[in-house]
């Protein structure tokens, strides 16, 4: 059977694009190599509890269901109530020199600055106004240094580091483009990507689905099927066969060819180019350098009863933020602590700790034996928590496989389930905002199209479906 559109990846962008296309009668097939929907934002079970992988927060949360999330829901014909999102209580940014607080009350971060760094409030207000006026969705390949712009308003490097830390951890792909100026010592990122993530964190807010992510993915898959589309799991694409400058078929690992007029890929820019037999010039589509290890621990009580009151903690144990691929296996001097049980109305005793990791070191360990590496990574996570004042190990009713943590994800896990080379968490630092690739009927969706987060990825799928397929129908 020949389809109008084939989509590679049943993650947020692929499912959203397919649901949008099928609603308008576009014959669509979604292909994914894994057995579960959601890509990296899927789910699994730890000690009998369902854990949403990848998800720290459902960003762009607004209690009235408006803003980017509202636009997405209208495009997908979903009610805000279906998501059953629970808001965060309070999050923090912790450095040795002080702590800033923020929440879904957009003024809390400014008020917190006024208490800890009053000299920075005016600059913060002016910076926030500029970010609000920036159209981060413009279809341009122009890149600017976010740090240069931030420091023009907030010259205190500590305050700049603290405000940038959540944005870095929730959206900086790293690599070529994370500095823009190769001589710069401090971490940086593209200004438009920075604005996307800043608005996700500081201008809207964090929420968490009461039942995790799988109800949303299953609902989208159900609608795709009802509207005549097909979602095929456990189907790995090994190549995109071309004729001239067009892709004509997706080739599976069994040799099957699936024909279509157009193709959408959430596999990433460099990864998609390889599938299509196109090797871009060196540096044209670099692979991102940022990867992580993440540990998940299940406590024997609510995290708040163990002294963990924040929903999310972005931390640095050093006086300046170090955000780059580390030389060592795991960099425990900065990271993120995520506490799902501190969203309003969520009963969840889990704690997630995330550190930056060196992808290059992990394949060697896997080839040899990574049983020692995961406990070492878990020990670093437990040490970070202790330095933040939270020694959770004594609270466990039984030892986990890795001490405090019942499961540890590595850069290899990210590469396997996210599909990005080198376990690059946020894909390439070079985005294709129009979705265009070197093949005229092959388009990128998801992270390497330029949006971030679950809502951003889904908006990417919808926007590219509208732009490249539905412009004459809607």
């Amino acid at each position: 059977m020949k389809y109008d559109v084939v989509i590679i990846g049943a993650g947020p962008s692929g499912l959203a694009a397919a649901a949008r296309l099928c609603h308008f009668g576009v014959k669509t097939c979604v292909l994914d190599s894994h057995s579960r929907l959601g890509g990296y934002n899927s789910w699994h079970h730890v000690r009998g509890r369902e854990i949403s992988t990848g998800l720290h927060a459902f960003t762009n949360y607004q209690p009235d269901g408006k803003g980017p999330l509202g636009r997405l829901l209208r495009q997908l014909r979903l009610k805000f109530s279906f998501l059953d999102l629970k808001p965060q209580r309070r999050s923090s940014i912790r450095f040795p020199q002080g702590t800033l607080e923020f929440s879904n009350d957009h003024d809390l971060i400014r008020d917190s600055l006024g208490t800890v760094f009053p000299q920075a409030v005016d600059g913060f207000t002016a910076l926030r106004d500029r970010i609000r006026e920036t159209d981060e969705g413009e279809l341009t390949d122009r890149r600017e240094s976010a740090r240069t712009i931030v420091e023009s308003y907030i010259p205190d490097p500590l305050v700049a580091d603290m405000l940038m830390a959540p944005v870095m951890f929730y959206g900086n792909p790293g690599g070529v483009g994370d500095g823009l100026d190769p001589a710069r010592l401090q971490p940086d990122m593209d200004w438009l990507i920075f604005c996307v993530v800043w608005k996700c964190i500081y201008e809207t807010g964090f929420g968490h689905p009461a039942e995790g992510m799988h109800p949303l993915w299953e609902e989208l898959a159900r609608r795709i099927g009802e509207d005549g589309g097909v979602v095929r799991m456990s189907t790995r694409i090994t190549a995109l066969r071309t004729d001239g400058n067009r892709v004509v078929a997706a080739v599976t690992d069994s040799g099957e060819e699936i024909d279509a007029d157009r193709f959408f890929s959430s596999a990433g820019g460099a990864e998609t180019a390889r599938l299509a037999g196109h090797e871009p010039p060196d540096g044209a589509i670099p692979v991102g350098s940022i990867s992580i290890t993440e540990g998940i621990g299940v406590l024997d009580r609510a995290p708040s009863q163990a002294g963990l009151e924040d929903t999310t903690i972005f931390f640095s144990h050093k006086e300046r933020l170090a955000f780059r691929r580390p030389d060592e296996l795991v960099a425990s001097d900065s990271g993120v602590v995520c506490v799902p049980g501190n969203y309003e109305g969520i009963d969840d005793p889990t704690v997630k700790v995330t550190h930056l990791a060196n992808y290059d070191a992990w394949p060697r360990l896997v080839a040899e034996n990574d049983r020692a590496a995961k406990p070492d990574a878990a020990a670093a996570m437990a040490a970070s928590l202790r330095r933040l004042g939270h020694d959770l190990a004594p609270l466990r009713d039984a030892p986990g496989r890795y001490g405090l943590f019942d499961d540890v994800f590595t850069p290899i896990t990210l590469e396997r389930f996210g599909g990005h080379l080198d376990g690059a968490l946020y894909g390439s630092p070079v985005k294709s905002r129009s979705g265009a690739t070197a093949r005229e009927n092959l388009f990128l969706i998801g992270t390497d199209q330029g949006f971030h987060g679950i809502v951003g990825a889904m908006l990417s799928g919808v926007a590219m479906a509208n732009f490249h397929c539905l412009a004459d129908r809607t």
Side-chain angles (χ1 to χ4, degrees):
M1 174 185 291
K2 182 175 181 178
Y3 294 93
D4 296 322
V5 175
V6 160
I7 297 175
I8 300 173
S13 61
L15 291 172
R20 180 71 174 166
L21 291 169
C22 289
H23 175 62
F24 287 95
V26 179
K27 191 161 52 177
T28 303
C29 178
V30 183
L31 307 169
D32 196 289
S33 60
H34 302 295
S35 60
R36 273 187 185 156
L37 301 167
Y40 179 51
N41 291 283
S42 187
W43 69 94
H44 72 300
H45 291 85
V46 174
R47 302 183 75 200
R49 297 195 66 92
E50 182 178 300
I51 305 295
S52 291
T53 58
L55 175 70
H56 277 194
F58 202 105
T59 54
N60 299 102
Y61 171 86
Q62 291 182 246
D64 53 9
K66 294 182 179 180
L69 177 56
R71 291 196 299 273
L72 172 66
L73 294 175
R74 288 192 296 274
Q75 294 275 304
L76 294 177
R77 301 173 296 123
L78 288 169
K79 293 183 178 180
F80 179 67
S81 59
F82 171 80
L83 297 176
D84 197 11
L85 290 176
K86 306 301 183 182
Q88 68 168 326
R89 292 173 179 161
R90 180 198 66 202
S91 294
S92 64
I93 307 163
R94 302 191 195 179
F95 277 55
Q97 304 95 313
T99 296
L100 296 177
E101 296 181 344
F102 67 94
S103 70
N104 292 357
D105 174 356
H106 310 147
D107 290 328
L108 178 58
I109 183 67
R110 182 199 61 197
D111 296 343
S112 184
L113 271 171
T115 300
V116 184
F117 304 106
Q119 74 282 3
V121 171
D122 289 344
F124 170 83
T125 301
L127 172 64
R128 184 169 64 177
D129 288 343
R130 175 160 179 180
I131 291 171
R132 288 174 172 175
E133 294 166 0
T134 298
D135 177 12
E136 70 279 6
E138 62 177 288
L139 301 181
T140 176
D141 293 329
R142 171 177 53 85
R143 292 190 291 153
E144 296 179 272
S145 161
R147 183 169 286 274
T148 296
I149 295 173
V150 170
E151 289 181 347
S152 71
Y153 292 93
I154 302 176
D156 185 331
L158 167 63
V159 180
D161 275 0
M162 293 184 75
L163 290 173
M164 293 180 78
V167 184
M168 292 280 182
F169 275 103
Y170 277 4
N172 189 352
V176 177
D178 70 342
L180 302 172
D181 174 4
R184 181 181 291 279
L185 296 178
Q186 295 305 316
D188 198 356
M189 62 191 292
D190 172 66
W191 169 246
L192 291 182
I193 299 176
F194 180 86
C195 290
V196 168
V197 185
W198 175 287
K199 291 178 180 180
C200 289
I201 296 171
Y202 295 126
E203 299 298 318
T204 52
F206 291 173
H208 197 289
E211 301 299 325
M213 292 306 303
H214 77 267
L216 175 58
W217 307 145
E218 290 174 348
E219 174 65 12
L220 291 177
R222 184 188 67 79
R223 293 189 179 197
I224 292 166
E226 284 187 350
D227 289 336
V230 175
V231 178
R232 288 181 51 178
M233 306 304 292
S234 302
T235 304
R236 182 178 298 277
I237 300 303
T238 57
L240 294 170
R241 185 167 65 82
T242 59
D243 183 5
N245 200 38
R246 293 180 61 82
V247 177
V248 296
V251 183
T252 73
D253 54 4
S254 67
E256 178 187 4
E257 295 197 1
I258 303 169
D259 301 338
D261 295 321
R262 292 184 177 90
F263 295 80
F264 288 76
S265 173
S266 63
E271 297 83 353
T272 299
R274 291 189 182 187
L275 287 173
H278 171 69
E279 289 295 336
D282 289 346
I285 310 179
V287 176
S289 65
I290 295 303
S291 193
I292 61 167
T293 57
E294 183 166 280
I296 300 172
V298 183
L299 306 181
D300 65 351
R301 67 195 72 184
S304 60
Q305 294 176 332
L308 271 171
E309 300 286 348
D310 289 339
T311 304
T312 311
I313 303 169
F314 299 89
F315 66 88
S316 172
H317 297 311
K318 293 184 175 180
E319 294 184 355
R320 294 300 307 273
L321 177 65
F323 191 92
R324 59 177 58 87
R325 176 181 286 190
D327 294 329
E328 62 272 32
L329 195 69
V330 176
S332 58
D333 51 11
S334 64
V336 184
V337 180
C338 173
V339 189
N342 285 339
Y343 286 88
E344 296 287 352
I346 298 287
D347 176 18
D348 191 331
T350 63
V351 177
K352 297 182 181 181
V353 178
T354 304
H355 286 148
L356 299 179
N358 182 342
Y359 169 83
D360 291 336
W362 284 93
R364 293 194 299 271
L365 287 169
V366 170
E368 299 164 4
N369 187 338
D370 69 342
R371 291 181 181 176
K374 284 189 174 182
D376 287 348
M381 296 168 190
S384 281
L385 282 171
R386 286 195 296 273
R387 293 179 71 177
L388 292 170
H390 305 291
D391 187 0
L392 303 184
L395 303 179
R396 290 295 301 272
D397 57 357
R401 287 186 293 159
Y402 306 120
L404 169 65
F405 296 94
D406 297 276
D407 206 356
V408 172
F409 289 85
T410 75
I412 304 303
T413 315
L414 291 180
E415 188 173 51
R416 184 182 305 124
F417 289 96
H420 288 154
L421 296 170
D422 291 4
L425 183 61
Y426 299 119
S428 172
V430 176
K431 309 299 183 184
S432 173
R433 297 187 185 279
S434 68
T437 71
R439 305 302 183 190
E440 63 183 52
N441 65 333
L442 172 63
F443 308 102
L444 297 181
I445 55 176
T447 300
D448 277 3
Q449 185 271 320
F451 291 172
H452 285 265
I454 291 173
V455 173
M458 295 175 73
L459 279 171
S460 167
V462 167
M464 293 299 97
N466 289 341
F467 187 67
H468 294 293
C469 292
L470 301 176
D472 298 331
R473 304 194 190 196
T474 59

